[in-house]
Amino acid sequence: MIDTTLAALSIERRTAALALFTNSRLDGITIRHLPAEPSKALHSLAGFLNSAMDLRHIQFIAVAQPLPASSLRTQMLHRTAIDAIRAAGIPLLEVPDEQLFASYAHPPLQRREQLRRIA
């Protein structure tokens, strides 16, 4: 059987979290705290993702979409991540919170805190 490595990426204002799955088994979670200076944060995020993609043979990445009201910094970090993933040639899917919440429980979850407790 061939193992498939998937990754789930979530980006916040000061952190980026990458969860790695082999088939349906969680293999690990890596969190990168990003510098306060915007240009350093963008470079740190790109380096974090490039390192993860080099070390693991990731076949697919799901990226949590930023909320429409998210800060300009979060949106810039999100765009940098998308660009790095596309440059590596890895297929990706941007997932809105509503779809993520609906996939974990019935009735659907309402907040990220509920999702964190389940995870």
Side-chain angles (χ1 to χ4, degrees):
M1 180 175 168
I2 298 174
D3 289 335
T4 302
T5 302
L6 309 173
L9 176 66
S10 177
I11 300 170
E12 300 293 332
R13 203 172 73 70
R14 293 294 301 270
T15 59
L18 186 70
L20 295 168
F21 298 87
T22 300
N23 299 327
S24 61
R25 185 185 72 242
L26 178 65
D27 270 353
I29 297 173
T30 306
I31 298 173
R32 170 70 59 98
H33 295 275
L34 303 171
E37 184 181 323
S39 64
K40 288 183 180 179
L42 296 174
H43 285 103
S44 179
L45 176 62
F48 169 64
L49 291 174
N50 288 329
S51 174
M53 291 183 291
D54 286 346
L55 293 175
R56 301 288 303 257
H57 184 65
I58 299 172
Q59 284 97 4
F60 186 81
I61 298 179
V63 181
Q65 285 182 342
L67 297 173
S70 61
S71 68
L72 177 60
R73 175 187 169 97
T74 302
Q75 292 175 13
M76 288 173 43
L77 290 167
H78 180 78
R79 176 62 21 214
T80 298
I82 297 299
D83 292 345
I85 294 165
R86 287 190 174 142
I90 298 173
L92 68 100
L93 174 68
E94 295 184 71
V95 180
D97 278 352
E98 299 81 28
Q99 184 179 355
L100 183 64
F101 294 163
S103 68
Y104 273 89
H106 183 73
L109 303 176
Q110 299 298 314
R111 295 181 314 278
R112 282 187 183 256
E113 294 80 30
Q114 295 170 312
L115 178 65
R116 288 183 185 118
R117 275 188 261 140
I118 291 172

